[in-house]
């Protein structure tokens, strides 16, 4: 009986030596500066519009405006509470002397992770996952791999573990690189900046049961956790497709089409409720944190997480059954 | 069938495989004993590779069983395959790793392989010079060697080589033949498939010839060869009278040969016969007595190839 550890080491080494991970680093190193520059233009624009006005005065005006709304009798009870918390948040900005509109490394990272989770991050994960089993088939090395005195499920398990390791590193790297690169431009502070979370807009209703103000670092940790989970689910599905079609190109194509279909669906299925069972529309778990309106009514963070878990589990079961039973004919 | 006291290394019993409702392998049985070199011959599409894949558990047999050193390949995968080293089809290794990294990779999948053992197999196949280069820079011959090194890592008792002479130059083939002989002397059993029948004839002790998924002949190479008579080419003139003399012998059969095989005398003056070589002198005497000029007598050694062609005559892929 061979230990699983040397197998995992083999797989990690192969991904590394195949320079798949360098591709990811390269993509990030090229794209993040571009996004940073775009963000910089936005910031400059905002500054231009604001003129020389002191941000403290703007925020105070906003607080005043919100307070007026809260005292209005036509205001719904939930919204009233939301505005009260929002006023608290703005007040915290004033107390800590942080301009809520000024970008910094941490805000940029937060936004970048939130925008990456639906498509960008899954694509990076695909670079590694699509190749893991299909690559062995197309190179013919699968024959050597499966004729060792090691059961097939162990071989596949080692690939899953290696994949998990790389997905984790990819998510962390994305955050680290975007913090470091944008930090050079916007400054490295912003960890303690207050962020509003735990509320959700459902139709015209506002759910504020868990509304809370947390420091931005905590928000980032939560965000990264969710992004990691979404990426892992995409990785599992890509693995299954890779096991089933045994071709890198076909596997990539199928996964790309599915993911892009997800982003298209997100924009048009607001009235088709059962579309919420597709995994693609559930990937953007991060948006729940900042209270964005879900693409389909009835989507909640827990629903999405459960849905993604079920998809991942099914894909893992199918992968293992097919991988251990199938005849290697080519 | 082996001699008494020999250790059975591979035992294949009534192997059958059906792929999409077609029997690819109909009924294959054979045994390989310790230190034996077993040749596995068949034309393309006869089921050689399918059989090999079943031997190493890449394909599950529909019926029948395979035992390596008494362990069932299907139900005792780890225990059985511990004793097997193999190259299925081409020696496909990780081209983006070095030779050494490839060996380390496969060593990690076997129990207790030390660095010394890796160094040992590198020396056995004579790859010390290039072992730290990327495999993608290797020639086919070097990949073949690295493939064998990989197969030998776990000190297997059975080595399965699928078309090992593929892509090797004559020098490489000769080296491989000597190499294989040496391995067998050390007690390793080898299973070698090939369509280069003359090579198998030089390399193997026993041979199984398969056609359309069935074994049509199994035996020691010598025994199989003895069963057939030799082809004797007579360069005679005048040809017609000579033929009459030949036909007067009961044991001689005139056969048609294609021009390719006649390389010593003009085709028009050559008559091919199927006969026992011992009778040549007697026939020659009769020729001379009848006033027929004998310009050449060529005895063609029966090759496994001829026998193979005879056995698989009329083969068509359907």
């Amino acid at each position: 009986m061979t230990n699983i550890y040397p197998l995992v080491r083999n797989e990690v080494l192969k991904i590394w030596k195949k320079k798949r991970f360098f591709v990811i680093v390269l993509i990030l190193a090229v794209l993040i500066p571009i996004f940073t520059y775009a963000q910089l233009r936005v910031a400059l624009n905002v500054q231009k519009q604001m003129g020389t006005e002191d941000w403290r005065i703007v925020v105070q005006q906003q607080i005043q405006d919100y307070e007026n709304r809260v005292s209005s009798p036509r205001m719904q009870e939930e919204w009233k509470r939301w505005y009260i918390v929002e006023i608290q948040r703005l007040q915290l900005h004033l107390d800590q002397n942080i301009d809520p509109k000024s970008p910094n490394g941490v805000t940029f990272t937060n936004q970048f992770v939130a925008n990456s989770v639906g498509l960008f991050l899954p694509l990076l994960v695909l670079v590694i996952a699509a190749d893991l089993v299909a690559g062995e088939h197309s190179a013919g090395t699968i024959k050597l791999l499966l004729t060792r005195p090691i059961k097939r499920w162990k071989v596949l398990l080692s690939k899953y573990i290696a994949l998990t390791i790389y997905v984790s590193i990819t998510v962390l790297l994305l955050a680290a690189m975007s913090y470091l690169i944008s930090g050079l431009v916007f400054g490295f502070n912003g960890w303690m900046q207050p962020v509003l979370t735990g509320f959700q807009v459902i139709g015209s209703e506002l759910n504020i049961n868990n509304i809370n103000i947390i420091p931005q670092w905590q928000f980032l940790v939560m965000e990264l956790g969710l992004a990691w989970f979404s990426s892992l689910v995409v990785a599992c599905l890509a693995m299954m497709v890779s096991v089933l079609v045994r071709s890198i190109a076909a596997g990539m194509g199928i996964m790309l089409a599915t993911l892009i279909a997800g982003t298209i669906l997100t924009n048009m299925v607001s009235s088709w409720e059962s579309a919420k069972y597709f995994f693609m529309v559930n990937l953007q778990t991060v948006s729940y944190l900042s209270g964005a309106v879900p693409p389909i009514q009835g989507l909640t963070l827990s629903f999405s997480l459960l849905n993604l878990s079920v998809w991942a589990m099914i894909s893992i079961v199918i992968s293992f059954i097919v991988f251990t039973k199938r005849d290697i004919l080519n | 069938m082996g001699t008494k006291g020999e250790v059975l290394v591979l035992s294949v019993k009534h192997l059958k495989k059906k792929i999409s409702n077609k029997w690819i392998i109909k009924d294959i049985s054979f045994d390989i004993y310790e230190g034996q070199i077993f040749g596995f011959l068949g034309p393309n599409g006869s089921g050689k590779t399918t059989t090999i894949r079943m031997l190493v558990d890449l394909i599950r047999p529909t019926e029948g069983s395979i035992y390596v050193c008494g362990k069932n390949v299907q139900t005792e995968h780890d225990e059985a395959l511990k004793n097997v080293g193999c190259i299925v089809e081409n020696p496909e290794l990780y081209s983006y790793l070095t030779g050494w990294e490839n060996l380390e990779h496969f060593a990690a999948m076997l129990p207790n392989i030390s660095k010394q053992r890796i160094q040992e197999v590198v020396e056995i196949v004579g790859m010390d010079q290039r072992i730290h280069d990327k495999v993608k820079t290797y020639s086919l011959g070097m990949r073949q060697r690295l493939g064998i090194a990989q197969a030998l890592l776990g000190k297997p008792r059975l080595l399965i080589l699928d078309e090992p002479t593929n892509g090797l130059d004559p020098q490489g083939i000769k080296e491989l033949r000597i190499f294989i002989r040496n391995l067998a002397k050390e007690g390793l059993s080898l299973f070698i498939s090939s369509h280069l029948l003359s090579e198998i004839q030089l390399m193997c002790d026993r041979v199984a010839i398969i056609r359309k998924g069935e074994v049509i002949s199994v035996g020691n190479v010598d025994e199989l060869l003895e069963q057939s008579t030799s082809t004797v080419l007579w360069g005679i003139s005048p040809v017609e009278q000579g033929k009459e003399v030949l036909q007067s012998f009961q044991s001689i059969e005139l056969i048609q040969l294609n021009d390719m095989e006649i390389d010593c005398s003009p085709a028009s003056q050559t008559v091919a016969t199927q006969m026992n070589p011992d009778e040549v002198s007697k026939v020659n005497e009769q020729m001379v007595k009848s006033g027929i000029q004998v310009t050449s007598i060529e005895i063609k050694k029966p090759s496994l190839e001829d026998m193979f062609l005879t056995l698989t005559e009329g083969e068509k892929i359907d």
Side-chain angles (χ1 to χ4, degrees):
Chain A
M1 277 312 221
T2 320
N3 203 323
I4 192 87
Y5 169 70
L7 302 183
V8 175
R9 204 184 46 200
N10 273 350
E11 295 303 327
V12 168
L13 182 84
K14 278 190 278 183
I15 297 171
W16 185 261
K17 290 278 179 178
K18 221 174 175 182
K19 304 211 163 64
R20 286 287 183 264
F21 194 65
F22 293 103
V23 173
I24 293 176
V25 176
L26 202 69
I27 293 173
L28 289 174
V30 170
L31 289 182
I32 293 176
I34 294 176
F35 292 134
T36 306
Y37 181 72
Q39 182 68 48
L40 182 67
R41 295 304 297 259
V42 173
L44 289 174
N45 219 8
V46 169
Q47 224 169 50
K48 207 190 277 173
Q49 280 172 3
M50 302 268 289
T52 50
E53 219 172 340
D54 185 3
W55 68 267
R56 298 187 67 94
I57 296 164
V58 178
V59 170
Q60 271 159 358
Q61 275 170 356
Q62 208 171 357
I63 291 175
Q64 190 59 52
D65 179 39
Y66 285 173
E67 275 170 350
N68 290 342
R69 289 195 200 190
V70 170
S71 53
S72 148
R74 284 175 298 143
M75 181 62 74
Q76 277 178 13
E77 196 55 35
E78 266 74 26
W79 284 103
K80 230 178 236 177
R81 278 173 57 199
W82 185 82
Y83 277 119
I84 291 168
V85 183
E86 179 67 3
I87 290 165
Q88 282 171 10
R89 184 180 74 91
L90 291 170
Q91 193 58 48
L92 271 173
H93 273 282
L94 287 175
D95 297 347
Q96 294 180 9
N97 201 17
I98 304 167
D99 181 356
K101 290 249 162 36
S102 84
N104 56 52
V106 186
T107 355
F108 178 86
T109 308
N110 263 337
Q111 279 179 14
F112 188 53
V113 173
N115 289 323
S116 303
V117 74
L119 194 59
F120 187 58
L121 205 45
L123 290 190
L124 294 182
V125 167
L126 273 192
V127 172
I128 291 174
D131 186 61
L132 222 47
V133 173
E136 303 270 4
H137 274 282
S138 53
T141 44
I142 189 83
K143 290 178 290 186
L144 278 176
L145 206 59
L146 298 186
T147 52
R148 305 299 97 189
I150 289 173
K151 292 196 178 60
R152 288 189 185 186
W153 67 263
K154 269 193 178 174
V155 174
L156 190 62
L157 180 64
S158 70
K159 283 188 179 289
Y160 269 102
I161 296 174
L163 182 60
T164 308
I165 292 171
Y166 274 100
V167 166
S168 314
I169 298 174
T170 303
V171 173
L172 286 177
L173 191 78
L174 179 124
M177 283 179 77
S178 77
Y179 175 66
L180 291 175
I181 294 172
S182 67
L184 287 175
V185 179
F186 304 123
F188 291 103
N189 44 18
W191 291 105
M192 296 311 291
Q193 192 172 319
V195 183
L196 211 55
T197 184
F199 61 95
Q200 196 184 18
V201 184
I202 303 160
S204 57
E205 302 273 300
L206 180 70
N207 180 353
I208 48 166
N209 291 336
N210 303 309
I211 196 159
N212 206 356
I213 297 170
I214 55 170
Q216 202 163 221
W217 68 265
Q218 203 180 331
F219 189 81
L220 184 63
V221 170
M222 290 161 66
E223 212 177 40
L224 286 178
L226 290 175
W228 176 80
F229 185 75
S230 288
S231 305
L232 215 53
V233 173
V234 173
C236 287
L237 289 163
M239 252 320 233
M240 177 186 71
V241 173
S242 181
V243 166
L244 290 178
V245 301
R246 285 163 289 168
S247 143
I248 303 170
M252 271 283 207
I254 292 170
M255 282 310 289
L256 270 179
T258 319
L259 287 169
I260 292 171
T263 61
I264 298 172
L265 274 178
T266 307
N267 294 326
M268 51 192 264
V269 291
S270 51
S271 53
W272 173 25
E273 208 182 319
S274 44
K276 69 180 179 182
Y277 294 106
F278 287 126
F279 81 93
M280 305 87 89
V281 299
N282 285 295
L283 282 176
Q284 306 215 16
T285 44
V286 170
S287 61
Y288 297 114
L289 286 183
S290 49
V293 183
I296 303 166
Q297 223 174 347
L299 281 186
T300 61
L301 179 59
S302 40
F303 175 86
S304 284
L305 290 181
L306 186 70
N307 179 284
L308 291 177
S309 307
V310 171
W311 275 93
M313 285 320 253
I314 292 172
S315 76
I316 289 171
V317 169
I318 292 174
S319 296
F320 272 92
I321 291 175
V322 173
F323 192 79
T324 49
K325 294 263 184 284
R326 185 165 55 200
D327 288 345
I328 309 294
L329 294 168
N330 60 332
Chain B
M1 263 189 278
T3 330
K4 267 181 198 163
E6 280 184 354
V7 184
L8 190 61
V9 172
L10 175 70
S11 170
V12 175
K13 289 174 188 154
H14 303 293
L15 203 59
K16 292 177 190 175
K17 178 68 184 177
K18 194 191 217 174
I19 297 176
S20 52
N21 272 322
K22 208 173 155 234
W23 288 100
I24 304 292
I25 303 297
K26 282 157 195 160
D27 191 357
I28 288 186
S29 301
F30 57 85
D31 292 324
I32 301 181
Y33 294 87
E34 197 168 47
Q36 212 169 44
I37 308 178
F38 190 88
F40 198 56
L41 300 184
N44 289 339
S46 59
K48 275 182 307 199
T49 300
T50 310
T51 309
I52 289 180
R53 280 168 191 256
M54 285 196 275
L55 295 186
V56 292
D57 200 27
L58 286 174
I59 298 179
R60 252 157 247 272
T62 313
E63 279 174 45
S65 56
I66 300 159
Y67 289 88
V68 177
C69 302
K71 306 283 181 191
N72 188 313
V73 168
Q74 271 69 48
T75 55
E76 298 162 284
H77 176 99
D78 293 8
E79 290 79 3
L81 287 179
K82 213 160 54 190
N83 300 308
V84 182
C86 66
I87 303 178
V88 181
E89 282 177 317
N90 307 312
E92 283 140 334
L93 294 137
Y94 297 102
S95 58
Y96 51 89
L97 300 179
T98 66
W100 184 269
E101 283 167 343
N102 265 290
L103 292 179
E104 276 185 327
H105 175 276
F106 292 111
M109 301 185 83
L110 294 160
N112 307 321
I113 303 290
S114 61
K115 278 230 164 12
Q116 283 81 6
R117 178 61 189 164
I118 302 180
Q119 191 57 49
E120 238 172 76
V121 294
V122 169
E123 277 158 26
I124 291 174
V125 296
M127 289 261 317
D128 329 40
Q129 298 292 317
R130 296 282 311 276
I131 195 69
H132 291 291
D133 292 349
K134 287 250 160 73
V135 169
K136 60 181 155 212
T137 65
Y138 286 9
S139 66
L140 187 55
M142 291 168 72
R143 283 174 203 220
Q144 194 73 261
R145 283 171 188 228
L146 186 62
I148 293 175
Q150 167 277 126
L152 290 174
L153 264 181
K155 296 186 178 166
R157 296 183 59 194
L158 173 68
L159 190 61
I160 296 175
L161 303 176
D162 193 0
E163 312 271 358
T165 53
N166 249 5
L168 292 187
D169 53 20
Q171 180 61 27
I173 293 175
K174 200 179 160 195
E175 281 174 17
L176 181 77
R177 201 186 301 147
I178 295 165
F179 182 70
I180 285 173
R181 278 277 164 219
N182 286 338
L183 289 177
K185 267 185 210 146
E186 288 164 26
L188 193 70
S189 308
L190 288 105
F191 177 97
I192 296 169
S193 87
S194 182
H195 62 272
L196 284 173
L197 305 153
S198 45
E199 285 307 326
I200 289 286
Q201 187 178 354
L202 288 167
M203 253 187 286
C204 302
D205 308 320
R206 275 169 69 77
V207 62
I209 298 176
I210 71 161
R211 180 178 66 170
K212 291 181 180 173
E214 280 173 298
V215 174
I216 50 179
S217 182
V218 195
N220 290 336
V221 171
D222 306 338
E223 285 171 20
L224 283 179
L225 290 179
E226 273 168 25
Q227 288 170 12
S228 62
T229 51
S230 298
T231 301
V232 180
L233 299 181
W234 296 88
I236 40 178
S237 102
V239 178
E240 287 312 314
Q241 277 170 279
K243 271 190 185 167
E244 277 169 32
V245 175
L246 288 169
Q247 273 161 340
S248 67
F249 286 87
Q250 286 263 302
S251 57
I252 295 177
E253 193 190 339
L254 292 186
I255 55 167
Q256 288 289 319
L257 279 186
N258 37 11
D259 293 347
M260 292 286 286
E261 290 173 73
I262 300 162
D263 39 32
C264 53
S265 45
S268 57
Q269 292 189 351
T270 306
V271 177
T273 56
Q274 198 75 49
M275 61 183 282
N276 189 336
D278 297 344
E279 286 184 308
V280 167
S281 59
K282 207 165 70 187
V283 176
N284 190 29
E285 207 182 307
Q286 190 61 44
M287 289 277 193
V288 175
K289 268 187 198 162
S290 315
I292 293 160
Q293 251 188 309
V294 178
T295 54
S296 69
I297 303 170
E298 191 194 354
I299 301 169
K300 292 204 131 188
K301 275 241 154 66
S303 66
L304 212 47
E305 190 141 10
D306 299 330
M307 206 191 120
F308 174 72
L309 287 173
T310 326
L311 283 169
T312 60
E313 216 166 3
E315 172 78 6
K316 280 204 182 78
I317 295 167
D318 40 25

